[in-house]
Amino acid sequence: MLVPIGCILPISISSSSNAIERMRKDLFIRTCANGFPFSRKLTAHNSCVNYLAFSRNDGRWLASAGDDFRVQLWDFNQDDVQRPSQTYAGPSGNVLSLDFSATNQYLISGGADNLILRFDISRLASGSGHGPSPAQDVYRRHDDSVRCVSAHPHQDEVFLSASEDGTILLHDARAARRLSAAQGTIRQETEFTGVQTHPIMEHIFATSDSHGQVCLRDTRMAFGPLSSRSNDGIVQNYNTKLSKRSLSFLSNPESSSIIFDRDGSKLAVTMLHWFPTIYGLSDPNPLAVLTGHNHPDGTPVPPGERTYSNSCTMKSGAFGGPGMNEDLLYVAGSDDFRGYVWKLPELSVLSGLRREIKVDEWLAQEWTGVCAYSEGQWSTRYVPLQISTPLCRLNGHRSIVNAVAMHPSLLHIVTSGIERHVILHSPTQASPVVHHLSETPSEIRTLGDHDASDPARFLRALIGPHATLHEDEAGDEDETISLFDHILREEGEGDVFALRRWRDNDGDSDGEDDQLVGGVIDSSASSPSIE
């Protein structure tokens, strides 16, 4: 039977037992490197599943939600997880984000209906929940889709939300502590795409937006009366613009989601048309970029073979290290119908391997194949370590994988996306929470050629009542998969430099007027990398 990694060897390691800690890490990495070849489909939704989240600390609850306007709660304390323990009703649009409050008393959701719902799951935890349950609280302060909700690390009643209406809102249900609507709002013209509270430092949070800006902020400077505010609370801007020596402009990819690791020392940014990028909390320049240029065995992916890509749909990633003292892994979904798992070196190693190139040196050489990060055309270039070889890949899906989550103590990863089911992945066939895991097919469905019916299908999706919501017919899901196949053929693997141009003199992207250029960015040639 699969047991928590933390139970294999002692969790409490003194400073004199570094060898034991290294053994535990090596065992963990070797286990994960063998892959997660066993799985079970958890089926309860009737449409795309957009977001997954495990409850804090023990990971008892898995929350899933998507385009069917339902939030499902799965109990991982069961001996054999097969169906949700609770269904929550209330959303009237696609659910885009979920988070559990500090002590798991509440589950918070946000979505395309502009609403934030807060569900009280404490009664369910004590065994008194029955039937579909409505939200305890409904928040209606946003004027556009709520892209992300993030709970305070210590206070159940406090959370942040980010919306495409260009606002970050601070919500505090404690009546005596409430700010006015204006005092609890950050507003900008650009759509916000993400917000994450720091897991330890209660005043620190990060934000991302559609113009590519990723900021670290302090609530004490961001909210409250104008007299106490400063620079919208920004204490650090992260360097997210891309530079190639052969081009006279930079690119600012959309930062579509962000996530801290468990101790808040690392921040991962999911970038549209680019690769997941890892930052240190106090370092504005990137430390690592995660690609799929190689197979997990280290051999290069041949031209024409699909690998990691993020050009369609909204995706989120997750750090993880079940049973470990730190998060050693990062997991993300991909347009090639897989999930990807990367092993992350220590921050000191990443910092030491990053290359810094002064402007004069950058301009004096060709730097063929190098993609650097830079704040501006006349700024220093930073070339982070490129981790080209994933530790393993997660199979089993027939279409795009959007959401991932790793259990905090069990070696289980869950993934979801365009299909209606969640897939639970395991490195072994035995599991303390699932009986009779099946071997996951190793074959990946290929993206077919253009279908003459694609334009009509796409038009039906645009004018229909809900393109991805269907009942129990498998054919309905096939229709949804075909729809996203068409989108992939039209938009997949776009060149971020063609789509998202940025110049110092205009300070913004002019990618809206550029044509799509096919092909994957070749950023491997002269970059430091782990093969």
Side-chain angles (χ1 to χ4, degrees):
M1 174 176 285
L2 179 70
V3 298
I5 285 291
C7 296
I8 296 177
L9 291 169
I11 290 293
S12 178
I13 306 288
S14 68
S15 59
S16 62
S17 303
N18 291 334
I20 298 178
E21 178 66 9
R22 287 195 298 271
M23 289 173 58
R24 294 179 68 248
K25 287 184 178 180
D26 289 344
L27 173 60
F28 175 80
I29 294 300
R30 286 200 307 271
T31 302
C32 295
N34 291 329
F36 290 71
F38 300 96
S39 63
R40 168 179 286 182
K41 291 182 179 179
L42 304 178
T43 302
H45 289 281
N46 294 325
S47 190
C48 304
V49 182
N50 301 325
Y51 207 88
L52 302 168
F54 279 109
S55 56
R56 298 171 186 249
N57 302 319
D58 63 355
R60 174 178 178 179
W61 305 107
L62 169 67
S64 62
D67 290 2
D68 61 357
F69 312 160
R70 290 290 186 271
V71 178
Q72 305 286 3
L73 202 61
W74 311 76
D75 187 356
F76 272 57
N77 274 9
Q78 294 179 345
D79 291 334
D80 189 20
V81 178
Q82 296 191 40
R83 58 185 61 85
S85 295
Q86 185 67 44
T87 298
Y88 290 102
S92 57
N94 299 350
V95 180
L96 305 177
S97 180
L98 298 165
D99 199 11
F100 288 87
S101 66
T103 67
N104 299 318
Q105 180 177 353
Y106 301 110
L107 175 61
I108 308 162
S109 75
D113 55 5
N114 310 347
L115 300 179
I116 297 169
L117 305 179
R118 194 170 70 143
F119 306 96
D120 187 348
I121 66 172
S122 58
R123 288 182 298 171
L124 182 61
S126 62
S128 59
H130 298 284
S133 299
Q136 173 178 295
D137 301 295
V138 181
Y139 299 82
R140 306 176 184 275
R141 292 173 55 191
H142 284 295
D143 297 322
D144 207 334
S145 296
V146 179
R147 286 287 296 269
C148 191
V149 291
S150 184
H152 190 281
H154 310 305
Q155 301 290 340
D156 274 323
E157 306 294 338
V158 182
F159 65 94
L160 295 169
S161 60
S163 172
E164 293 181 0
D165 64 8
T167 64
I168 300 287
L169 300 184
L170 173 63
H171 307 266
D172 191 342
R174 299 170 298 179
R177 301 291 298 274
R178 285 179 185 163
L179 300 172
S180 69
Q183 290 176 340
T185 303
I186 299 173
R187 187 178 300 277
Q188 65 178 31
E189 293 184 3
T190 307
E191 300 172 349
F192 280 108
T193 59
V195 63
Q196 286 293 312
T197 57
H198 192 275
I200 296 174
M201 296 185 285
E202 62 178 345
H203 297 296
I204 300 300
F205 66 104
T207 62
S208 61
D209 66 37
S210 60
H211 279 192
Q213 187 177 39
V214 178
C215 303
L216 194 68
R217 303 179 192 247
D218 189 320
T219 57
R220 295 166 295 187
M221 300 163 55
F223 302 108
L226 288 177
S227 59
S228 67
R229 294 194 184 200
S230 175
N231 195 31
D232 283 335
I234 297 173
V235 295
Q236 180 164 272
N237 286 294
Y238 291 97
N239 180 4
T240 59
K241 299 183 186 69
L242 306 174
S243 175
K244 295 179 76 174
R245 178 63 184 86
S246 59
L247 299 175
S248 62
F249 53 86
L250 307 182
S251 174
N252 66 328
E254 176 180 323
S255 302
S256 53
S257 67
I258 51 177
I259 189 73
F260 283 112
D261 69 346
R262 76 173 74 175
D263 64 5
S265 62
K266 295 186 286 289
L267 178 70
V269 181
T270 302
M271 298 186 180
L272 190 62
H273 302 295
W274 192 241
F275 305 106
T277 303
I278 306 297
Y279 296 82
L281 177 68
S282 58
D283 189 341
N285 299 303
L287 295 172
V289 58
L290 313 177
T291 79
H293 291 329
N294 295 337
H295 296 123
D297 64 4
T299 59
V301 173
E305 181 178 315
R306 299 178 68 222
T307 182
Y308 177 85
S309 176
N310 177 27
S311 293
C312 302
T313 72
M314 292 183 287
K315 296 182 179 65
S316 56
F319 288 97
M324 298 290 102
N325 296 329
E326 59 183 311
D327 286 338
L328 304 175
L329 307 177
Y330 184 75
V331 190
S334 170
D335 290 345
D336 72 339
F337 312 160
R338 294 184 179 99
Y340 282 72
V341 182
W342 292 273
K343 175 183 177 293
L344 300 177
E346 295 181 359
L347 285 176
S348 59
V349 174
L350 293 175
S351 180
L353 292 174
R354 181 179 59 197
R355 185 165 188 175
E356 182 176 332
I357 306 172
K358 300 298 184 183
V359 176
D360 291 344
E361 184 182 1
W362 179 258
L363 296 176
Q365 300 183 39
E366 291 298 324
W367 300 104
T368 303
V370 174
C371 185
Y373 290 69
S374 179
E375 289 291 353
Q377 290 172 290
W378 307 105
S379 301
T380 299
R381 266 62 176 179
Y382 295 88
V383 184
L385 176 70
Q386 183 179 134
I387 302 178
S388 306
T389 303
L391 187 65
C392 63
R393 299 184 296 196
L394 307 172
N395 298 332
H397 285 279
R398 299 173 57 226
S399 191
I400 300 169
V401 179
N402 294 331
V404 298
M406 180 170 278
H407 195 278
S409 59
L410 302 174
L411 257 181
H412 287 324
I413 299 173
V414 289
T415 58
S416 67
I418 301 307
E419 299 147 277
R420 72 180 81 184
H421 51 255
V422 177
I423 297 184
L424 184 151
H425 305 266
S426 171
T428 62
Q429 195 165 16
S431 165
V433 297
V434 182
H435 297 169
H436 309 301
L437 286 164
S438 301
E439 189 169 353
T440 307
S442 58
E443 300 81 11
I444 296 297
R445 188 180 70 86
T446 59
L447 182 63
D449 295 331
H450 175 77
D451 189 322
S453 63
D454 283 348
R457 182 181 295 115
F458 189 68
L459 182 61
R460 287 197 303 272
L462 289 177
I463 64 177
H466 200 291
T468 64
L469 184 61
H470 33 68
E471 299 301 328
D472 295 330
E473 297 298 326
D476 292 337
E477 184 169 79
D478 290 340
E479 183 86 357
T480 302
I481 291 173
S482 296
L483 167 65
F484 281 91
D485 281 357
H486 173 69
I487 295 173
L488 277 173
R489 284 190 289 267
E490 295 295 318
E491 302 179 8
E493 299 185 348
D495 184 338
V496 70
F497 284 93
L499 295 166
R500 298 279 299 192
R501 297 188 181 195
W502 185 95
R503 290 186 178 88
D504 282 334
N505 58 2
D506 60 22
D508 202 353
S509 169
D510 61 8
E512 296 296 328
D513 298 325
D514 292 318
Q515 283 190 331
L516 178 75
V517 177
V520 177
I521 303 297
D522 177 13
S523 59
S524 59
S526 301
S527 305
S529 65
I530 289 180
E531 299 298 331

